[in-house]
Amino acid sequence: MYTHKKNIITRGKPLEQTKKALVMLHGRGATAESILSLGEHLQTADFTLFAPQATNNSWYPYSFMAPAEKNQPALDTALEVIDETIKHIQGQGVASQNIYLLGFSQGACLASEYATRNAQHFGGLLLFTGGLVGQEVDTSKYQGNFEGTPVFISTGDPDPHVPVSRVEETVKIMEGKGAVVTKKIYKGRPHTILQEELTLANQILSRPTGA
């Protein structure tokens, strides 16, 4: 079993200029560079982009709905990498409401899990085909309050990796912790990101700071 070490690629203007960060988490088998390329389709000109790279190009070895212990220690160390990244950004004077999390597929699952375990007023969560992690969702792990954080979450119906039922459960938990969620379920959509999803994500990214 493997663990992760902090290996982050950054793009865009320096953080001291933008004071806004978008942390981007790639999917299984992908790379930090590949998720950063998604930024070309998003309104990220005023953001500094941070993309951690997973060891073996995978954040954890099994399905996100496998028993949690099967995905250890990879899962916990992946969450630690995100936590270190967020704390690094905050340490440079950036408030949580100016920090955004984005992920696709496995990356969206990881972003969902991290944000809900550490709920606070984030700038936004952009969860392209993902949901909370575990064979059963363990609500005891989820702390804090989202304080109106805007969330976009999606999946296909059916999706080969992320069932609609887990997205629905994730929405319920996030809304219960104060998030304002936009959920999209796309009938027959392949495991990809549609233009409509990018448009909805851009609505969150282009909001006035702290809105």
Side-chain angles (χ1 to χ4, degrees):
M1 191 63 76
Y2 56 91
T3 60
H4 301 281
K5 293 182 179 177
K6 194 172 169 185
N7 177 16
I8 299 169
I9 299 174
T10 60
R11 293 272 166 81
K13 299 171 187 173
L15 194 58
E16 58 264 27
Q17 289 183 26
T18 65
K19 294 296 182 183
K20 289 204 296 187
L22 176 61
V23 179
M24 309 178 76
L25 302 174
H26 67 75
R28 187 187 298 274
T31 63
E33 288 91 345
S34 68
I35 197 71
L36 282 166
S37 69
L38 186 65
E40 298 166 13
H41 305 280
L42 295 168
Q43 294 180 17
T44 58
D46 295 329
F47 287 80
T48 307
L49 309 183
F50 295 81
Q53 174 63 53
T55 300
N56 302 335
N57 303 100
S58 180
W59 292 111
Y60 41 83
Y62 299 102
S63 165
F64 83 114
M65 293 183 70
E69 59 272 15
K70 287 191 71 175
N71 279 317
Q72 299 297 3
L75 175 59
D76 277 355
T77 58
L79 292 166
E80 286 169 13
V81 166
I82 302 173
D83 193 55
E84 288 174 17
T85 304
I86 298 291
K87 284 185 167 59
H88 168 74
I89 293 165
Q90 290 176 322
Q92 295 185 63
V94 179
S96 64
Q97 60 261 36
N98 292 323
I99 300 173
Y100 298 66
L101 280 166
L102 174 154
F104 172 63
S105 190
Q106 192 185 55
C109 297
L110 193 63
S112 300
E113 187 70 14
Y114 175 81
T116 312
R117 289 190 188 196
N118 301 274
Q120 54 198 292
H121 185 187
F122 291 107
L125 307 178
L126 309 174
L127 310 171
F128 299 110
T129 309
L132 292 168
V133 175
Q135 185 175 28
E136 303 291 336
V137 172
D138 180 1
T139 57
S140 69
K141 294 181 178 178
Y142 303 134
Q143 308 296 324
N145 191 290
F146 281 118
E147 299 177 22
T149 296
V151 177
F152 172 75
I153 188 169
S154 65
T155 196
D157 183 13
D159 182 87
H161 305 291
V162 181
V164 172
S165 59
R166 180 54 59 92
V167 171
E168 302 276 13
E169 192 174 8
T170 299
V171 169
K172 183 177 179 181
I173 290 169
M174 287 184 166
E175 288 181 336
K177 297 184 73 62
V180 179
V181 182
T182 299
K183 175 192 71 181
K184 288 291 181 180
I185 308 298
Y186 296 98
K187 285 283 185 185
R189 189 209 66 182
H191 194 69
T192 187
I193 300 173
L194 302 177
Q195 181 58 49
E196 180 183 293
E197 295 175 81
L198 296 172
T199 299
L200 291 166
N202 276 327
Q203 289 176 8
I204 292 175
L205 291 171
S206 61
R207 283 183 175 205
T209 297

